């Protein structure tokens, strides 16, 4: 499906408006089929998952190239009529200039938003120095501004995701990312009311994204009451699908039994969904 400039602009405006008030769930499909299913379920927008995309290609998270990621974004943008938020890793560049070039290419796919994270990928120093992270985010901001069209920029503080659960450092990073031009702030891995409230307070007027990657005692309504604007699921839906595959095949391999196929979706229902 080829999208017109007007259609892309409409999606971006719709996505921006979703962040103005209230709280919405932003689920993360990993392919065109899961995206279309989620659209049919009534979700208002979608986000890609770098992990889900990588697993679908038989790769670990972080091992998908820029070009493969851009192709995935084109497929996902075309799969539904919903705005799409791109999980864009660290920006796919060794330098801020290279990040800006990659972001420009991502914008051309028709996405409504993209995120830049500050993880370094190095075990001994899993977070980039804050000045480096800010420079990369500013480069992304400049690329978005040059392109026009209203793409949202999400700044991510990865502290709790990479084993450095320092809340004060995460808050400092998020404030710096807001000053650098991030439209939405995101600290994946926070989970308690106190942590969430602290991030919302640090964000000020900026919308906050909360990752819910598994069961939580907090309901959607309770999360909304804390001031969160959007809830993403990360790779959780992809992991649920992989969990279903594992549960279906293990009895076959271990016991020669086919009981695990009981929960399989109906072929007729799937055909009807995609017809």
């Amino acid at each position: 499906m080829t999208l017109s400039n007007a259609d892309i602009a409409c999606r971006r405006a719709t996505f921006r408006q979703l962040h103005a008030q209230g709280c919405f769930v932003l689920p993360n499909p990993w392919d065109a089929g899961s995206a279309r299913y989620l659209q049919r379920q009534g979700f208002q927008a979608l986000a890609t998952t770098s992990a889900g995309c990588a697993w679908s290609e038989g790769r670990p998270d972080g091992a998908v190239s820029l070009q493969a990621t851009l192709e995935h974004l084109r497929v996902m943008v075309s799969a539904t009529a919903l705005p799409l938020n791109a999980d864009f890793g660290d920006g796919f560049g060794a330098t801020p200039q290279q990040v800006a070039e990659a972001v420009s290419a991502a914008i051309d796919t028709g996405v409504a938003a993209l995120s830049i994270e500050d993880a370094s990928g190095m075990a001994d120093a899993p977070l980039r120095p804050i000045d480096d992270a800010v420079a990369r985010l500013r480069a992304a901001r400049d690329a978005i501004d040059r392109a026009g069209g209203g793409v949202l920029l999400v700044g991510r503080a990865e502290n709790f995701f990479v084993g450095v659960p320092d809340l004060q450092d995460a808050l400092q990073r998020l404030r710096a990312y807001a000053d650098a031009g991030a439209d939405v702030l995101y600290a994946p891995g926070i989970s308690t009311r106190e942590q969430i409230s602290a991030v919302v307070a640090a964000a000020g007027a900026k919308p906050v994204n909360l990752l819910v990657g598994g069961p939580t005692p907090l309901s959607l309504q309770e999360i909304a009451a804390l001031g969160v604007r959007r809830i993403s699921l990360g790779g959780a839906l992809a992991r649920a699908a992989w969990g279903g595959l594992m549960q279906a095949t293990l009895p076959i391999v271990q016991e020669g039994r086919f009981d695990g196929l009981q929960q399989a979706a109906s072929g007729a229902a799937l055909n009807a969904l995609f017809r």
Side-chain angles (χ1 to χ4, degrees):
M1 177 174 63
T2 301
L3 302 179
S4 68
N5 290 336
D7 187 19
I8 292 173
C10 181
R11 294 189 191 193
R12 290 172 176 171
T14 297
F15 196 52
R16 184 173 289 271
Q17 186 59 37
L18 283 174
H19 293 75
Q21 59 183 358
C23 181
F24 67 98
V25 177
L26 184 67
N28 304 71
W30 59 94
D31 62 9
S34 56
R36 289 172 185 160
Y37 171 78
L38 291 169
Q39 177 180 238
R40 291 287 187 90
Q41 294 303 301
F43 291 100
Q44 298 172 283
L46 304 173
T48 62
T49 159
S50 63
C53 172
W55 299 332
S56 72
E57 296 186 3
R59 302 175 185 273
D61 189 14
V64 179
S65 69
L66 171 60
Q67 291 307 314
T69 297
L70 294 173
E71 179 55 32
H72 178 66
L73 293 180
R74 284 188 281 268
V75 169
M76 298 299 280
V77 166
S78 298
T80 76
L82 299 179
L84 185 74
N85 188 113
D87 179 352
F88 207 56
D90 69 352
F92 292 93
T95 66
Q97 177 59 35
Q98 290 174 337
V99 170
E101 293 168 358
V103 167
S104 295
I107 292 169
D108 288 342
T109 67
V111 296
L114 59 86
S115 62
I116 302 292
E117 62 190 42
D118 58 8
S120 69
M122 298 185 295
D124 57 342
L127 290 170
R128 293 181 182 276
I130 191 166
D131 290 346
D132 181 25
V134 165
R136 296 166 67 83
L137 202 68
R138 282 186 177 142
R141 176 79 267 164
D142 290 345
I144 290 171
D145 291 345
R146 285 195 302 271
V151 171
L152 290 176
L153 176 61
V154 183
R156 294 178 47 148
E158 300 291 296
N159 298 69
F160 287 78
F161 233 38
V162 299
V164 188
D166 183 335
L167 180 60
Q168 293 308 311
D169 183 67
L171 297 178
Q172 179 184 2
R173 287 171 177 273
L174 291 175
R175 293 188 189 101
Y177 301 160
D179 291 342
D183 299 296
V184 180
L185 300 176
Y186 184 14
I190 62 170
S191 58
T192 69
R193 291 176 182 272
E194 293 74 21
Q195 291 167 344
I196 297 167
S197 295
V199 167
V200 170
K206 301 276 187 178
V208 167
N209 184 102
L210 178 69
L211 172 67
V212 177
T216 172
L218 297 175
S219 67
L220 171 59
Q221 292 74 20
E222 290 170 325
I223 292 170
L226 293 172
V228 171
R229 281 280 182 263
R230 69 184 215 188
I231 301 168
S232 60
L233 308 181
L237 294 179
R239 288 188 287 105
W242 279 101
L245 174 64
M246 293 172 180
Q247 291 174 19
T249 54
L250 280 177
I252 300 174
V253 173
Q254 296 178 347
E255 305 171 32
R257 299 180 61 84
F258 301 90
D259 301 346
L261 300 177
Q262 292 176 349
Q263 301 301 317
S266 156
L270 291 172
N271 288 332
L273 172 67
F274 297 126
R275 184 169 293 121

